[in-house]
Amino acid sequence: EEKKKSKCGKVNDVCNVRLNQNSIYYRLLFGAIFVEQVASFCLTAETANRSLCDESLYCRLTVLCFIFPLQRYHFNFSKLFSSRSKNSDFTEKTPLLKVSSEENGLQCMALHNPDFTTDDDSWDNSSADFEQRFQLGSEMTSLSRSASSEKYEILDNLPVKFNLSKMRCCLKFLKVSGLFIFVVVCSVLFGIYPDQGVPWQMLAVSPLESFSMNLTDFHDSALLKLDMGGPFAADVADQQTEEYIVVQISQIEDTGTRRRRQQQVVYNWSLPLSSRRNQQIITTRTFQIPNRGTIFINIQAFLQEPGSVPLSMKHQYLHANIEAQVTIASIILVGVYVLIILEIVHRTLAAMLGSLAALAALATVGERPSMAKVVEWIDYETLALLFGMMVLVAIFSETGFFDYCAVKAYRFSRGKVWAMITFLCLFAAILSAFLDNVTTMLLFTPVTIRLCEVLNLDPRHVLIAEVIFTNIGGAATAVGDPPNVIIVSKQELRKEGLDFAAFTGHMFVGICLVVLVSFPFLRLLYWNKKLYNKEPSEIVELKHEIYVWRLTAQRINPASREETAVKCLLMQKVLTLEMLLRKKLRTFHRQISQEDKNWETNIQELQKKHRITDTILLIKCLAVLGCVILMFFLNSFVPGVYLDLGWIAILGAIWLLVLADIHDFEMILNRVEWATLLFFAALFVLMEALAHLHLIDYIGEQTALLIKVVPEDQRLAVAIILVLWVSALASSVIDNIPFTATMIPVLLNLSKDPDVNLPMKPLIFSLAMGACLGGNGTLIGASANVVCAGIAEQHGYGFSFMEFFRLGFPMMIVSCTIGMCYLLVAHVVVGWNS
């Protein structure tokens, strides 16, 4: 005690002065500091009428760490734990520092005793041992204060936690109430307007006889929608014919007097006729009427030979102009993305809510579709393809083939994780160039999940990398991605020389460059990603230890010099442990990309665990799957095969169900991703409804207008850049299939405009590059993304919209940039336009 009083002035410099290893004074000083901290803590707690039963053991250990080693230094402990209490027996529940209430105050046991004597020589011989106990004592003291503070903070934070729970309940109630009110309003709007089942009117026109009709019930409608059916040219190439139909929309403004102004032609709509008069093509156009006067429709035929042309026509009034409809469609699309991004509801329900809102908007503007029309909007070929392949994969998984492939992939990579990921991505990109992207991911996702489970990897990051390269590889050929199929199937583009070979040859070179750049960039994105599911236990424990020490230091209020010194020591401890953690993490991350020294032993163990379980069923599955894939190829190249992809997948599933003799049919159906199928059905309805609200047409028209205002010497380069990036960004937020189908006529008309003077092929290649690569931007940008996410979610490894966006969107930016540079060099610098 006397040494403590004489040396207390040196406490101010305790954080700045390096302690002498042989100084007995500083050792005794810090020992006294910690003992005094324990004593003051106990006194404060007892004064506040709080029990120290749980903390007494820690306090006892703290003091004993300093005092018990002094027994061999001739300290007398006979009176150390003596007190005025009658009970001198100590148990685990007995406080180390006994505090009793007297008449007028507190009586506490002194920690010092005059019988203590020391031998100075013994300190020099055991400095290391004492310092170890000093560190242990400091740690135990910190744990004591931390444990007591945590226990009492739980009681103090009960009102806060109750308020948070109450707030969550309120937010949940608001979410459910808001969505329910929204659904009710949309249902009411959709129900109060009737179906616009306007009957078709049959007519015939000739060069000598025209057709005219008056529309007097236009009233306050803003738009007139006109549907024409007849032997019209399906492609723009047929417009070179001299035979066509002209539809004139004219109007006379009613001034309220008997005298009327002369009839004025407001619109002229020319429809080229096809040489095959037996075909029926329906085309639609919307006209904006400037005033409320009577509308006159006049239809004339211009033919090379005498004759008549049979036509069909129907008209419909719309109550909102184009700008208002586009605004409504944009709000609906943004709302759907907010629901998906914030994960307010499941993405399937978000798509259903968006479809309902779009249908209600169509009903409000006067274009409510019938049930049969909405059913026609769903692409049943895609749904049949998904269902058939899901059944095939479900039966395939019973053979153990996916586990076997996972072990083989690990053996091929020789234990290197990144070599294995690169191999999987490259193989997926090559396969998706010849198969549909959806089919590729349906086959690859189960194999990848089993492989990651075997190697204790996180499947989510591997699956995202695979689906990104699947979308990139699908852009290389004419059959790899649906937008490419739509482009090559256009008859006019084939007449311009853009057939399968020409399209594939041009796109293949650019996609190869994209793949070469994308692999290093993917490695850069995954540089700090935790690919393994679990970290080693030592790293987990070290992180927890750092958290405890830091929390203990933060809870010390430096009100005195001693407390300041203790807090400084604890923070130094935290810094030391953080340096050790960084070193361990660097070592752990290096092991991810390094070769596993025991990979051969692991391979042997994995081969024993994961084998083919049913060889006969495997042979049947391989035979049927081989036939299905062969038919996919024949459907793309052989014109004599009249089976779509959906029919091929359904027939293959029926074949395998019969050969496998499946009795537990419910088990197979449970593995079908019904949520994914329903999501696609709702998404098809949503996109068609947005198209009827003129959102996609508006994007195409604005793109064409921007290209026309560019100077002619820079027009081609700007057109390539604009079309590619508009296609990429639009395809990342809306389905690329309707967008591609809408943009093709816009670009064809733009290339044939003599005032614009642009070649056709650079525009089409920019559209294909942007529409295919833009699918990597978001989770719902491509069908393969949704399929992969659905299968991963069924296996318990689902990834959210933002998890995909953080990896997919940068990859989209880089891949589109490389594709843009390739197209600029090929068409602007080299001039590869023929």
Side-chain angles (χ1 to χ4, degrees):
E1 181 72 9
E2 293 176 355
K3 292 180 180 179
K4 173 188 173 183
K5 293 180 180 179
S6 62
K7 299 298 181 180
C8 62
K10 297 185 179 180
V11 179
N12 296 328
D13 302 326
V14 71
C15 297
N16 301 322
V17 180
R18 184 179 180 87
L19 297 181
N20 188 357
Q21 295 291 334
N22 298 321
S23 176
I24 181 175
Y25 303 106
Y26 279 101
R27 294 193 195 97
L28 286 176
L29 176 62
F30 277 95
I33 289 173
F34 276 99
V35 171
E36 183 178 354
Q37 290 297 314
V38 175
S40 62
F41 172 77
C42 296
L43 289 173
T44 305
E46 186 69 21
T47 304
N49 296 323
R50 292 178 177 177
S51 175
L52 294 177
C53 295
D54 295 337
E55 289 79 12
S56 60
L57 179 60
Y58 296 105
C59 300
R60 214 174 291 116
L61 289 175
T62 302
V63 179
L64 296 182
C65 289
F66 291 102
I67 299 179
F68 281 174
L70 302 180
Q71 288 181 352
R72 59 175 181 162
Y73 304 124
H74 313 292
F75 279 81
N76 186 1
F77 293 94
S78 59
K79 300 179 181 181
L80 177 62
F81 292 107
S82 63
S83 67
R84 298 179 184 178
S85 178
K86 297 180 180 180
N87 185 12
S88 60
D89 296 332
F90 290 92
T91 63
E92 183 179 353
K93 300 296 182 178
T94 305
L96 177 64
L97 303 178
K98 293 188 177 181
V99 183
S100 59
S101 299
E102 297 291 340
E103 295 179 357
N104 297 325
L106 294 174
Q107 296 291 335
C108 54
M109 185 191 73
L111 289 179
H112 61 276
N113 196 296
D115 295 335
F116 288 172
T117 58
T118 61
D119 186 1
D120 293 341
D121 296 336
S122 60
W123 287 98
D124 297 332
N125 297 329
S126 60
S127 60
D129 184 28
F130 188 84
E131 287 182 0
Q132 291 178 359
R133 285 176 168 78
F134 170 77
Q135 294 177 359
L136 178 60
S138 63
E139 294 175 0
M140 296 305 296
T141 304
S142 301
L143 289 175
S144 171
R145 297 173 64 93
S146 174
S148 60
S149 301
E150 289 176 358
K151 187 181 76 172
Y152 296 126
E153 281 187 359
I154 292 176
L155 298 176
D156 296 336
N157 292 335
L158 281 178
V160 178
K161 292 184 177 179
F162 177 77
N163 292 333
L164 291 177
S165 178
K166 191 175 181 180
M167 184 180 298
R168 292 192 191 98
C169 294
C170 293
L171 291 177
K172 184 178 180 181
F173 175 77
L174 291 176
K175 182 192 78 171
V176 175
S177 302
L179 291 178
F180 181 74
I181 293 173
F182 172 79
V183 170
V184 170
V185 171
C186 292
S187 302
V188 171
L189 291 177
F190 187 74
I192 61 178
Y193 293 98
D195 292 341
Q196 299 297 326
V198 180
W200 286 90
Q201 184 176 359
M202 309 303 296
L203 55 100
V205 294
S206 65
L208 301 177
E209 183 180 359
S210 62
F211 173 82
S212 299
M213 67 178 299
N214 300 336
L215 303 178
T216 57
D217 54 348
F218 189 74
H219 301 299
D220 295 333
S221 301
L223 299 176
L224 173 65
K225 182 180 179 182
L226 199 61
D227 295 330
M228 296 293 299
F232 304 126
D235 298 320
V236 184
D238 294 335
Q239 294 182 5
Q240 298 177 357
T241 180
E242 298 295 333
E243 298 182 338
Y244 51 91
I245 299 293
V246 175
V247 180
Q248 291 182 349
I249 308 295
S250 58
Q251 191 176 32
I252 296 178
E253 183 179 1
D254 192 355
T255 59
T257 61
R258 295 182 179 179
R259 185 176 181 179
R260 299 193 178 191
R261 289 190 292 176
Q262 187 176 2
Q263 181 176 337
Q264 298 178 355
V265 177
V266 181
Y267 296 102
N268 271 328
W269 184 19
S270 297
L271 298 171
L273 294 174
S274 175
S275 57
R276 299 182 297 273
R277 297 298 172 86
N278 57 349
Q279 67 179 1
Q280 183 78 7
I281 301 297
I282 297 177
T283 181
T284 303
R285 186 172 176 181
T286 303
F287 304 95
Q288 189 166 358
I289 306 302
N291 51 61
R292 302 180 181 180
T294 303
I295 299 175
F296 296 91
I297 299 178
N298 186 27
I299 303 177
Q300 295 179 340
F302 295 88
L303 305 176
Q304 296 292 330
E305 299 178 357
S308 61
V309 180
L311 300 174
S312 58
M313 181 193 70
K314 72 175 182 178
H315 65 279
Q316 189 174 347
Y317 302 126
L318 304 181
H319 307 300
N321 55 25
I322 300 295
E323 290 76 11
Q325 295 186 36
V326 170
T327 303
I328 295 173
S330 302
I331 294 174
I332 293 173
L333 187 62
V334 171
V336 172
Y337 267 86
V338 169
L339 293 177
I340 295 177
I341 293 174
L342 300 181
E343 298 182 356
I344 299 176
V345 294
H346 193 271
R347 59 176 175 271
T348 302
L349 182 57
M352 296 173 65
L353 293 176
S355 302
L356 178 60
L359 292 176
L362 286 176
T364 304
V365 301
E367 197 179 355
R368 174 185 164 173
S370 62
M371 178 65 73
K373 190 67 174 179
V374 173
V375 171
E376 291 178 1
W377 290 350
I378 300 175
D379 188 356
Y380 286 100
E381 181 181 354
T382 301
L383 297 183
L385 172 64
L386 291 171
F387 177 78
M389 293 304 299
M390 285 177 182
V391 173
L392 287 174
V393 172
I395 301 175
F396 215 155
S397 61
E398 296 295 321
T399 63
F401 181 75
F402 296 146
D403 299 347
Y404 178 79
C405 291
V407 175
K408 289 298 181 182
Y410 182 58
R411 183 175 184 178
F412 182 80
S413 63
R414 299 180 63 87
K416 297 180 179 179
V417 176
W418 263 107
M420 180 193 63
I421 295 176
T422 303
F423 169 74
L424 290 175
C425 294
L426 183 61
F427 190 67
I430 294 174
L431 187 61
S432 64
F434 302 98
L435 284 179
D436 185 76
N437 293 352
V438 175
T439 305
T440 302
M441 290 313 301
L442 282 170
L443 296 175
F444 261 75
T445 303
V447 177
T448 304
I449 291 176
R450 287 301 302 141
L451 174 61
C452 294
E453 288 176 348
V454 167
L455 302 181
N456 195 28
L457 295 175
D458 189 355
R460 294 173 298 175
H461 300 307
V462 183
L463 289 175
I464 292 175
E466 278 186 3
V467 74
I468 287 174
F469 278 90
T470 298
N471 294 327
I472 293 176
T477 63
V479 296
D481 220 1
N484 297 355
V485 177
I486 295 175
I487 290 174
V488 177
S489 62
K490 281 290 182 179
Q491 190 65 30
E492 184 196 353
L493 297 179
R494 291 185 178 181
K495 292 180 180 179
E496 294 290 336
L498 199 62
D499 54 3
F500 179 88
F503 183 88
T504 302
H506 193 290
M507 293 290 292
F508 184 79
V509 178
I511 295 301
C512 287
L513 295 176
V514 172
V515 170
L516 291 177
V517 177
S518 297
F519 270 114
F521 185 72
L522 179 70
R523 185 67 181 91
L524 182 63
L525 287 178
Y526 278 55
W527 189 261
N528 292 323
K529 292 292 181 182
K530 185 176 66 174
L531 296 179
Y532 283 92
N533 262 334
K534 297 179 180 179
E535 292 178 336
S537 58
E538 56 178 352
I539 293 182
V540 176
E541 293 174 359
L542 187 58
K543 286 184 176 181
H544 181 68
E545 185 179 355
I546 292 175
Y547 171 77
V548 172
W549 283 114
R550 186 184 298 276
L551 188 63
T552 305
Q554 291 174 353
R555 288 175 176 174
I556 295 179
N557 185 18
S560 62
R561 294 172 296 180
E562 292 85 356
E563 290 176 341
T564 303
V566 173
K567 188 168 186 177
C568 292
L569 290 175
L570 290 178
M571 293 306 299
Q572 176 130 21
K573 177 80 171 177
V574 170
L575 294 176
T576 305
L577 292 178
E578 285 181 344
M579 293 177 60
L580 180 61
L581 176 63
R582 285 194 293 268
K583 185 184 299 183
K584 288 183 178 294
L585 286 176
R586 284 196 298 267
T587 305
F588 175 68
H589 289 310
R590 282 199 302 267
Q591 292 174 354
I592 293 178
S593 58
Q594 291 177 353
E595 183 178 359
D596 188 0
K597 297 180 180 179
N598 300 323
W599 71 273
E600 294 181 351
T601 305
N602 295 337
I603 284 293
Q604 295 177 359
E605 296 178 356
L606 293 175
Q607 286 178 346
K608 294 178 182 179
K609 295 180 181 179
H610 307 284
R611 296 180 178 179
I612 301 297
T613 58
D614 195 338
T615 307
I616 298 177
L617 182 60
L618 176 62
I619 295 174
K620 296 178 181 178
C621 292
L622 289 176
V624 173
L625 186 61
C627 293
V628 169
I629 294 176
L630 179 61
M631 292 300 295
F632 284 164
F633 280 107
L634 294 179
N635 178 70
S636 302
F637 299 102
V638 179
V641 179
Y642 299 103
L643 291 175
D644 295 331
L645 298 181
W647 275 115
I648 295 173
I650 291 292
L651 292 177
I654 296 175
W655 293 354
L656 190 55
L657 286 172
V658 173
L659 290 177
D661 193 17
I662 299 296
H663 294 284
D664 191 2
F665 202 72
E666 294 293 334
M667 182 267 296
I668 300 299
L669 293 181
N670 288 334
R671 296 190 179 183
V672 175
E673 292 291 330
W674 297 108
T676 302
L677 297 178
L678 188 58
F679 172 79
F680 275 107
L683 187 65
F684 290 142
V685 174
L686 174 62
M687 292 305 160
E688 285 293 333
L690 295 181
H692 279 72
L693 290 172
H694 306 282
L695 176 63
I696 301 178
D697 294 336
Y698 182 81
I699 295 174
E701 292 173 0
Q702 295 301 315
T703 304
L705 291 177
L706 289 176
I707 294 175
K708 289 181 180 180
V709 299
V710 177
E712 186 175 357
D713 56 341
Q714 303 173 357
R715 188 169 294 165
L716 179 58
V718 173
I720 290 175
I721 296 173
L722 193 60
V723 171
L724 188 144
W725 284 107
V726 169
S727 303
L729 296 177
S731 298
S732 63
V733 296
I734 60 177
D735 193 4
N736 54 11
I737 296 177
F739 179 79
T740 304
T742 303
M743 285 295 294
I744 289 177
V746 174
L747 297 181
L748 289 176
N749 292 330
L750 191 63
S751 64
K752 294 184 178 298
D753 191 346
D755 297 332
V756 178
N757 192 21
L758 285 176
M760 181 264 298
K761 287 187 178 181
L763 302 179
I764 297 299
F765 287 133
S766 301
L767 174 64
M769 192 79 72
C772 294
L773 299 181
N776 288 328
T778 61
L779 180 60
I780 63 175
S783 302
N785 305 351
V786 181
V787 171
C788 180
I791 298 177
E793 185 177 0
Q794 190 183 40
H795 287 78
Y797 300 104
F799 45 86
S800 63
F801 183 94
M802 292 305 300
E803 287 178 338
F804 185 91
F805 181 81
R806 282 191 290 265
L807 296 173
F809 193 79
M811 287 292 295
M812 184 204 76
I813 297 296
V814 172
S815 59
C816 288
T817 303
I818 301 301
M820 178 192 67
C821 296
Y822 164 72
L823 292 176
L824 289 176
V825 172
H827 297 287
V828 178
V829 179
V830 179
W832 187 11
N833 299 325
S834 60

